[in-house]
Amino acid sequence: MEQINYTDQGRFCSGHVACGGCAEAVALRVILNIVGPNAVAVVAPSCTAVICGAWPGSSVKIPVFHTTLESCAASASGVKRALVKQGKDDTLVLGLAGDGGTYDIGLQALSSAAERNEDILYICFDNEGYMNTGGQKSSSTPLNAATGSTPTGKATRKKNIIDILAAHRIPYIATASPSDINDMAAKLKKAISLRGTKFLSILIPCLPGWGIADDSAVKVARLAVDSGAFPLFEIEDGVRVSMKPRDNPLPVAPYLKLQKRYLHLTDADLEEIQANVDSDWQRIQQRADQS
């Protein structure tokens, strides 16, 4: 077991309103610890917005600007440009959104910001659905997952937001997980060191939305990584791929069987999902080998 190399700086306050056991609170604590006080967060409507809260009761010790669901990246771009105009070039601007505000409603603004290579760090807390409004499916929802709007299972696969952004050739893209805090911290530091648009996708198992136990979010996130369902990798300038090795990979079934949204799966469904996971892993690994 890898020892966590982390010292908390107290930039995320207790008393926030995240669900007890929520992995997003863990991720936010790490993010705020790494970015430091010289930062501004632009937050789309989401669980993140609820957790951060509003002044004077915010749970985060940096300024937070709440924007519309579709405009997180556009608003972050504007905040960054205003700071530059004031001579505050070194102030980091974070865009914080869920998968609904990233994969779906906010994709146009995100694509435009990426095309302009705006100097922002955009972080997507990917809980694979519209969990803040009742658990409906998003385009991040995986194949066969049951949601409020797909009660018998989603009929299509999860959108590949990573490759979409890689096609924009932005400086840095990475995936991260609250189960691998050292990896997340290292990727945050790397992203902060670069100019231009940076994108991190962080897997956030949702306790009520996925139907998992209150104390199992990090365990489920770890199984997602170890099975390859959520591989940890980086893409620089849209082409150079590096990937965390997967020694003795676990099958995907134990990860899926901990979640109520997959209780309806047949053996054939499990085989299809496993084949998709293996194929996606091999495709990313091949790109990493060629980088």
Side-chain angles (χ1 to χ4, degrees):
M1 183 71 69
E2 182 182 31
Q3 182 176 355
I4 296 175
N5 181 21
Y6 177 83
T7 302
D8 187 66
Q9 303 295 328
R11 298 193 177 105
F12 184 61
C13 305
S14 60
H16 57 78
V17 295
C19 297
C22 177
E24 184 168 336
V26 175
L28 267 172
R29 186 176 298 278
V30 175
I31 291 164
L32 294 167
N33 186 73
I34 297 299
V35 303
N38 189 21
V40 176
V42 177
V43 186
S46 58
C47 293
T48 312
V50 176
I51 295 169
C52 289
W55 186 90
S58 177
S59 59
V60 302
K61 292 186 177 180
I62 60 172
V64 173
F65 177 77
H66 291 272
T67 188
T68 58
L69 185 53
E70 70 275 13
S71 64
C72 183
S75 298
S77 301
V79 170
K80 179 62 181 184
R81 290 189 179 207
L83 288 166
V84 170
K85 197 73 173 177
Q86 297 174 41
K88 300 176 181 178
D89 303 52
D90 60 338
T91 299
L92 176 68
V93 175
L94 300 168
L96 304 177
D99 49 281
T102 301
Y103 284 69
D104 298 333
I105 298 172
L107 181 59
Q108 179 180 3
L110 178 57
S111 175
S112 295
E115 186 274 329
R116 298 190 303 269
N117 199 27
E118 299 283 354
D119 189 19
I120 60 174
L121 171 53
Y122 189 106
I123 297 175
C124 173
F125 296 108
D126 186 2
N127 55 24
E128 298 185 334
Y130 287 86
M131 301 307 180
N132 197 35
T133 57
Q136 301 87 355
K137 72 101 174 174
S138 76
S139 60
S140 173
T141 304
L143 177 69
N144 287 326
T147 72
S149 52
T150 58
T152 60
K154 183 168 175 267
T156 55
R157 295 184 63 180
K158 180 172 181 172
K159 181 187 288 184
N160 190 340
I161 192 72
I162 300 298
D163 277 2
I164 291 171
L165 289 169
H168 292 69
R169 299 295 181 92
I170 59 176
Y172 188 71
I173 302 166
T175 59
S177 169
S179 65
D180 292 67
I181 287 178
N182 291 345
D183 177 78
M184 184 192 302
K187 287 171 176 173
L188 284 163
K189 291 176 181 177
K190 188 170 183 177
I192 292 168
S193 73
L194 301 170
R195 289 281 183 176
T197 305
K198 291 82 58 177
F199 179 87
L200 263 66
S201 176
I202 302 178
L203 183 68
I204 305 294
C206 180
L207 307 176
W210 293 19
I212 58 177
D214 290 354
D215 62 351
S216 67
V218 173
K219 175 183 177 181
V220 170
R222 183 171 292 114
L223 284 172
V225 172
D226 290 346
S227 66
F230 189 83
L232 300 182
F233 63 105
E234 303 167 279
I235 304 178
E236 297 180 69
D237 299 320
V239 292
R240 297 192 306 279
V241 179
S242 56
M243 192 175 200
K244 184 175 181 179
R246 185 174 64 151
D247 299 324
N248 302 315
L250 298 176
V252 75
Y255 164 64
L256 301 176
K257 289 180 177 180
L258 284 177
Q259 307 171 50
K260 288 183 180 179
R261 61 178 181 162
Y262 290 119
L263 287 181
H264 62 285
L265 294 184
T266 64
D267 288 343
D269 293 331
L270 288 172
E271 290 176 5
E272 181 182 9
I273 293 172
Q274 183 69 67
N276 289 339
V277 167
D278 292 341
S279 175
D280 288 344
W281 179 275
Q282 291 167 8
R283 177 180 57 82
I284 300 168
Q285 185 63 65
Q286 184 177 33
R287 291 175 64 188
D289 292 342
Q290 293 171 350
S291 295

